[in-house]
Amino acid sequence: MNNSEYLKQERAAAWRDDLRKAKKNKERTSLARVKMPEAPPIERARSYVEVNSGLTPEQAINEASRCIDCANPTCISGCPVEINIPKFVKNIERGEFLEAAKVLKETNALPAVCGRVCPQEKQCEASCFYQLKLNTEPVAIGYLERFAADFEQQSGKISIPEVAPSNGIKVAVIGSGPAGLAFAGDMAKLGYDVVILEALHEIGGVLKYGIPEFRLPNSIVDVEIESLRKMGVKFETNFIVGKTATIDDLREEGFKGFFVGSGAGLPRFMNIPGENLVGVLSSNEYLTRINLMGASSQGMDTPVVRGKKVAVIGGGNTAMDSVRTALRLGAEKVSIIYRRSLEEMPARVEEVKHAQEEGVEFLTLNNPVEYIGDDKGKVKQIRVQRMELGEPDSSGRRSPVAVDGSEYIIDADTVVVSVGVSPNPILPQSLPQLKVSRWGTIEVDPDTLQSSIPDIFAGGDIVRGGATVILAMGDGRKAAASMHQYLTNQTKK
Amino acid sequence: MNKVISKHYYSENVVSLEIEAPRIAKARRAGHFVMVRVGNTGERIPLTISTANVERGTITLVVQKVGVSSRKITELEVGDEVTDLVGPLGQATHVENFGTILACGGGVGVAPLLPIVEELKKAGNKVISVIAARSKDLIILEDQIRQHSDEVIVMTDDGSYGKKGLITEGMEEVINREKIDQAVIIGPGIMMKFAALTTKKHNIPSIASLNTIMVDGTGMCGACRVTVGGKTRFVCVDGPEFDAHEVDFDEMLMRLSGYREDEIKADEQYLCVSKNKGKA
């Protein structure tokens, strides 16, 4: 049975049919999209409480009833891990929240995470019937995903996906971020002996060191990791493949396949004067000190700069996370400096909205050209240049052009540079035969995600160079399917 | 895992710890470092591996108490576990037969210098080592350095041992006497700065092993960035060794002071708490 047949069969289930008949479509489409309950900006901007507090069951059921359960659910094609969206949404509508969570887990190892950090407005929700055909606000699929996943976590009745009997084949996962976790989940289901090797002392990769508590609480990530553990996935921290042991060492230890999801850990800088002054740091350093090392909490040894005037350079989600973290560390004035306009900003719409509500100043169409320090080498000012938008560049976004003679100076005692990341070089450096692009990303077959070394597959940011949690997870799932195929063929030989 | 096997005091503030880490012991080469974290509230700090024993599956770290994190490491006792230990990190030292080597170690910098001296000697070089410290009790690993050197000159600032004077004076003495093909410089930032100026004056190719602030040690944070030859480099993945004549030591020293106030405050607090614990 192929996927579309499966979806059709699921849709034909009697309970789905009854639900569809229970309400007229006109009634459904007349409902307004739910608003996510949020902590008030004035309170949350100084605390690490999660900003979105989640839908109530009534709100969730009501929102789920907006979905008309289309015969051709276009939303699914917008999802990188192809969640059976109507099936989980309709389960919410009929009050079967645990069942809804189970549906999510059929294809998504981390639903509580994705419900919070996916750019739904560019994916499932962008492909929703409401958006495409009615040109109105789509069903809040992301909110509903989070609702079902949270409900399950809080119920204490967490369903562990069914795992095939062990086939005794050992596979290693390099990196415990979203790509690796998704891969591990699928391989465990297929009966593989999965070991995740993580460089840091915590499991979760960017979900732990990168995304702040107010957007994705670590406890949520830990529950999802615990589910994988229950499925038999093993974790080893403080293990850097390519350093602690090589791929060859691991082959000797009996590993038959490798999935590299080591991420894009190398922060980029702009190479402008003064960038190495004290008080100028990467968003990775800033967020890692706080999210991984707990620098904002009492009793932790790791320090962090607590600037009064903090400028964050960049317009992505990480820039938003950094600028809002600065507020929570007690900054008096926080600004985003971004060289294009609000429209081109790569950050999720919701993150920009939250940052604006919390009082972040947006200096769009501005670009730093120099950092100026005091006599101790500490940053005190930024020389900024105004920009205007020119022709679209290779990414299709209009490229910023400097306005001559527009430079001016602003005060800042902390600058967080968040202009992107490059792939982490450690693993590729240890494998000279591995084909990498000139940007340092691992080259893979786009269909199988197999690298130039047959037993090594790769996905997520180490291949894409810097993308999203869900795209990384999609890669993990794809790589699991093709590695399974590859290893099955190998054992037949 | 990562149990402390033996502990040795070089002085009140300088301690050597032999730690169980079989994979790291096997994989490490001269020049590599590890990241160490003690306790769940601990900070991750980089420490260069001094020696390793593959049979015993151990590595040895020499640690000087300078702040809370290094203090916590020196307070580990035999049988204690190091909470987190990861490595070996960084690029290994480039070893070949250069001819005559001038190996310069200041303070605890002698610890990471030892494996480099050992390998350079093994590669057929003539090795002349100059080790220096403020006073006699801060000179460490002298016997081990002697074992792998053709000659050792000891310098102390106060003249309490060896010759009186700065490391650069000991270096000049050797340079004026014979042709040096390569210098290796490891120690406190300020010492490396002046040692590098000395070898530059005599056109001696030199490498320095840098120890900067790091959070992860794997390229992720960029806290360790230094300017080398006008370009920004990461000590953790590009280093820790660089051409000593190209390193902007002033910038490095400035960046090292970035958290000085926090460090002093944290250390005072930690000592205060420890003292009160002692009373109770």
Side-chain angles (χ1 to χ4, degrees), chain A residues 16-225:
Chain A
R16 292 267 289 267
D17 205 38
D18 291 346
L19 263 188
R20 279 194 296 275
K21 286 179 189 146
K23 233 179 214 165
K24 289 210 173 70
N25 279 352
K26 205 163 196 179
E27 204 181 323
R28 295 181 189 275
T29 55
S30 68
L31 294 168
R33 177 178 158 119
V34 69
K35 292 254 179 303
M36 171 60 82
E38 295 171 349
I42 205 136
E43 282 170 29
R44 74 188 191 223
R46 301 287 170 189
S47 83
Y48 290 89
V49 63
E50 194 178 3
V51 172
N52 285 349
S53 33
L55 303 183
T56 62
E58 295 71 35
Q59 284 175 313
I61 291 172
N62 205 42
E63 181 64 19
S65 72
R66 288 181 69 219
C67 168
I68 59 167
D69 200 3
C70 307
N72 173 25
T74 44
C75 51
I76 298 177
S77 57
C79 173
V81 296
E82 297 185 354
I83 290 175
N84 188 341
I85 293 168
K87 187 178 172 192
F88 103 79
V89 171
K90 291 295 114 179
N91 266 305
I92 293 178
E93 185 182 348
R94 65 165 173 162
E96 294 288 344
F97 305 145
L98 290 174
E99 206 47 42
K102 244 189 218 167
V103 175
L104 291 169
K105 284 190 175 171
E106 283 172 14
T107 59
N108 184 346
L110 314 168
V113 173
C114 293
R116 287 172 166 81
V117 304
C118 265
Q120 290 96 3
E121 73 266 15
K122 292 178 188 155
Q123 297 175 346
C124 52
E125 294 181 17
S127 318
C128 172
F129 171 81
Y130 278 75
Q131 184 79 49
L132 293 180
K133 295 282 158 40
L134 306 180
N135 198 21
T136 169
E137 287 195 300
V139 173
I141 301 167
Y143 295 168
L144 292 174
E145 178 178 30
R146 171 186 163 159
F147 170 79
D150 282 3
F151 184 88
E152 191 199 36
Q153 284 204 357
Q154 285 153 15
S155 74
K157 293 175 205 143
I158 296 176
S159 71
I160 304 301
E162 233 173 88
V163 171
S166 167
N167 62 17
I169 302 173
K170 271 167 83 173
V171 296
V173 184
I174 298 153
S176 67
L181 294 176
F183 173 88
D186 277 14
M187 290 304 268
K189 280 186 206 165
L190 291 165
Y192 287 88
D193 184 358
V194 186
V195 182
I196 298 189
L197 304 167
E198 165 57 46
L200 292 172
H201 59 268
E202 281 265 358
I203 299 296
V206 70
L207 306 174
K208 283 280 178 68
Y209 74 74
I211 304 175
E213 201 67 10
F214 56 82
R215 193 148 79 86
L216 176 64
N218 280 347
S219 58
I220 297 285
V221 183
D222 284 332
V223 174
E224 311 239 33
I225 290 167

Side-chain angles (χ1 to χ4, degrees), chain A residues 239-312:
Chain A
F239 198 113
I240 303 180
V241 177
K243 294 284 186 189
T244 311
T246 61
I247 292 275
D248 270 338
D249 294 334
L250 295 171
R251 283 192 187 115
E252 262 173 48
E253 288 172 31
F255 287 96
K256 300 291 179 211
F258 300 89
F259 175 72
V260 186
S262 50
L266 214 61
R268 270 191 222 140
F269 288 90
M270 293 165 67
N271 294 314
I272 59 176
E275 212 165 22
N276 289 345
L277 287 168
V278 173
V280 181
L281 65 169
S282 73
S283 50
N284 266 3
E285 177 181 353
Y286 195 57
L287 295 173
T288 301
R289 282 180 182 272
I290 297 188
N291 302 335
L292 180 73
M293 306 308 298
S296 61
S297 313
Q298 275 285 317
M300 300 302 281
D301 294 347
T302 305
V304 67
V305 285
R306 290 172 187 266
K308 288 206 164 58
K309 289 179 182 166
V310 182
V312 175

Side-chain angles (χ1 to χ4, degrees), chain A residues 406-470:
Chain A
S406 65
E407 288 179 14
Y408 66 105
I409 290 197
I410 61 169
D411 291 339
D413 56 14
T414 302
V415 176
V416 181
V417 181
S418 187
V419 296
V421 282
S422 302
N424 194 294
I426 290 181
L427 183 97
Q429 268 176 10
S430 76
L431 288 169
Q433 330 85 286
L434 186 70
K435 257 197 205 152
V436 292
S437 72
R438 63 190 173 100
W439 300 279
T441 51
I442 297 179
E443 291 194 349
V444 293
D445 178 308
D447 295 323
T448 63
L449 303 187
Q450 189 170 32
S451 75
S452 58
I453 302 174
D455 60 350
I456 301 179
F457 295 69
D461 282 359
I462 190 73
V463 169
R464 295 173 178 272
T468 60
V469 167
I470 191 67

Side-chain angles (χ1 to χ4, degrees), chain A residues 201 238-240 243-245 253 265-267 269 275-276 278 280 282 284-285 289 293 299 301 303 377 424 429, chain B residues 23 27 37 41-42 44 72 84-91 213 218-221 223 225 227 232 251 254-255 259:
Chain A
H201 59 268
N238 296 319
F239 198 113
I240 303 180
K243 294 284 186 189
T244 311
E253 288 172 31
L266 214 61
F269 288 90
E275 212 165 22
N276 289 345
V278 173
V280 181
S282 73
N284 266 3
E285 177 181 353
R289 282 180 182 272
M293 306 308 298
D301 294 347
N424 194 294
Q429 268 176 10
Chain B
R23 282 193 190 269
R37 187 174 81 116
T41 59
R44 293 167 65 98
K72 281 187 176 175
D84 295 293
L85 178 68
V86 62
L89 293 161
Q91 305 290 337
I213 294 174
T218 63
M220 223 174 73
C221 77
R225 59 197 196 278
T227 302
T232 295
E251 181 191 89
M254 180 190 86
R255 290 185 57 78
Y259 283 98

Side-chain angles (χ1 to χ4, degrees), chain B residues 242-259:
Chain B
F242 295 100
D243 182 338
H245 300 159
E246 296 288 336
V247 174
D248 184 342
F249 282 107
D250 291 332
E251 181 191 89
M252 187 188 93
L253 286 163
M254 180 190 86
R255 290 185 57 78
L256 276 170
S257 70
Y259 283 98

Side-chain angles (χ1 to χ4, degrees), chain B:
Chain B
M1 262 171 82
N2 307 139
K3 195 180 279 189
V4 177
I5 301 295
S6 68
K7 183 178 184 180
H8 174 73
Y9 281 89
Y10 285 111
S11 69
E12 198 198 327
N13 289 317
V14 180
V15 173
S16 151
L17 293 168
E18 185 186 5
I19 303 165
E20 214 170 57
R23 282 193 190 269
I24 301 175
K26 194 173 151 222
R28 74 97 214 186
R29 296 286 170 269
H32 280 147
F33 69 93
V34 288
M35 296 298 293
V36 182
R37 187 174 81 116
V38 175
N40 289 326
T41 59
E43 183 182 17
R44 293 167 65 98
I45 64 164
L47 289 168
T48 309
I49 301 168
S50 181
T51 55
N53 186 321
V54 180
E55 287 77 47
R56 286 162 67 92
T58 60
I59 61 167
T60 299
L61 303 175
V62 177
V63 191
Q64 181 173 26
K65 286 183 208 173
V66 284
V68 173
S69 300
S70 50
R71 198 178 287 278
K72 281 187 176 175
I73 298 172
T74 60
E75 284 170 1
L76 289 170
E77 297 299 339
V78 173
D80 286 350
E81 302 258 335
V82 179
T83 316
D84 295 293
L85 178 68
V86 62
L89 293 161
Q91 305 290 337
T93 306
H94 171 70
V95 174
E96 64 170 70
N97 191 345
F98 294 98
T100 303
I101 303 284
L102 182 61
C104 316
V108 275
V110 177
L113 186 68
L114 176 62
I116 300 174
V117 164
E118 190 178 340
E119 293 210 11
L120 286 169
K121 181 68 195 158
K122 244 189 252 164
N125 291 284
K126 176 182 178 187
V127 179
I128 304 171
S129 299
V130 183
I131 59 175
R134 280 202 309 277
S135 57
K136 183 183 177 185
D137 58 335
L138 295 174
I139 294 286
I140 60 167
L141 295 166
E142 183 192 343
D143 291 345
Q144 289 86 336
I145 290 281
R146 270 190 200 285
Q147 207 183 323
H148 303 287
S149 304
D150 294 87
E151 184 190 344
V152 176
I153 295 171
V154 180
M155 305 292 300
T156 52
D157 293 3
D158 62 1
S160 54
Y161 186 56
K163 290 180 184 163
K164 184 173 189 304
L166 297 171
I167 194 163
T168 45
E169 295 170 52
M171 290 167 65
E172 291 272 9
E173 181 194 319
V174 181
I175 294 167
N176 290 334
R177 180 179 83 194
E178 60 191 290
K179 183 179 173 287
I180 304 294
D181 298 295
Q182 174 79 36
V184 181
I185 300 165
I186 312 183
I190 194 78
M191 168 251 154
M192 290 198 281
K193 176 184 167 178
F194 286 100
L197 284 173
T198 303
T199 59
K200 191 170 186 181
K201 197 167 71 188
H202 298 279
N203 284 319
I204 300 167
S206 305
I207 60 156
S209 176
L210 310 185
N211 196 338
T212 52
I213 294 174
M214 293 183 192
V215 183
D216 63 292
T218 63
M220 223 174 73
C221 77
C224 65
R225 59 197 196 278
V226 287
T227 302
V228 182
K231 279 200 184 121
T232 295
R233 309 290 301 275
F234 285 12
V235 172
C236 64
V237 287
D238 301 324
E241 290 172 12
F242 295 100
D243 182 338
H245 300 159
E246 296 288 336
V247 174
D248 184 342
F249 282 107
D250 291 332
E251 181 191 89
M252 187 188 93
L253 286 163
M254 180 190 86
R255 290 185 57 78
L256 276 170
S257 70
Y259 283 98
R260 189 70 30 94
E261 280 168 38
D262 296 276
E263 284 159 10
I264 293 168
K265 215 195 285 168
D267 204 33
E268 280 165 3
Q269 265 171 13
Y270 181 71
L271 285 176
C272 186
V273 171
S274 309
K275 233 188 248 162
N276 288 340
K277 263 188 205 155
K279 275 181 200 158

